[in-house]
Amino acid sequence: MMFRALIAGAALAALAACNPGPKDAPAEPVAEPVAAEPAPAVQMEEEPKLLEMMQGTWQSLEDPMNVFTISGDQMSSVYNDEPLGNETITVVADCTAMTPDADGMSFTLKADGDDEARCFSIIDAGADRLDYSYSARGNTLAHKRMTP
């Protein structure tokens, strides 16, 4: 829309310049075309989304043999270098409704054979720390980042 107004203004200015008008009339200044407004700056997110932040390998602070790696929406757990299995992560608004929400601060884990997903609420999430609470028990699980 702004582009059409700019073109129309330029066309009117060109027509006015071609028409000399009456000889006695003072010359009217030709209006400068209105410059197009600059495109709005791309908005950068203030914080990374939860799933993006969780990517990498994490080690339990309570039991160093308990390690998991999150890659995409998959969590692979290992205990004492023995694979325990994979689960799918879904970020949700909260553990009550468990509605998927990319901006949520809770997540569910579900293995292929599970009937229902387990839900966890984030307590602390940072570059090097990930603490969450298992909603069914209320216990807090604390982890430190091993690799990004």
Side-chain angles (χ1 to χ4, degrees):
M1 187 69 161
M2 182 64 94
F3 184 73
R4 286 188 210 167
L6 183 64
I7 296 296
L12 288 175
L15 285 174
C18 292
N19 182 5
K23 291 186 182 192
D24 297 344
E28 291 183 32
V30 176
E32 293 289 324
V34 178
E37 292 181 25
V42 175
Q43 295 292 324
M44 297 301 291
E45 291 185 36
E46 294 176 16
E47 300 178 7
K49 301 234 187 250
L50 180 60
L51 190 56
E52 292 171 14
M53 190 282 315
M54 294 171 66
Q55 300 297 303
T57 301
W58 300 86
Q59 181 180 41
S60 170
L61 294 177
E62 295 146 4
D63 185 352
M65 290 191 277
N66 186 2
V67 174
F68 63 84
T69 300
I70 297 176
S71 180
D73 69 347
Q74 296 296 304
M75 175 190 274
S76 301
S77 298
V78 174
Y79 189 83
N80 197 22
D81 295 327
E82 293 293 323
L84 297 177
N86 296 331
E87 296 177 288
T88 300
I89 301 172
T90 303
V91 176
V92 296
D94 59 59
C95 287
T96 304
M98 294 200 301
T99 305
D101 181 355
D103 294 323
M105 288 305 290
S106 298
F107 65 95
T108 63
L109 290 175
K110 186 173 183 191
D112 284 339
D114 292 348
D115 291 333
E116 292 184 28
R118 298 179 327 269
C119 193
F120 302 84
S121 297
I122 295 295
I123 306 269
D124 185 17
D128 297 318
R129 183 79 184 247
L130 179 61
D131 300 351
Y132 50 87
S133 177
Y134 180 36
S135 63
R137 290 190 190 137
N139 60 318
T140 298
L141 305 168
H143 300 84
K144 68 178 181 177
R145 185 182 296 275
M146 293 178 68
T147 63

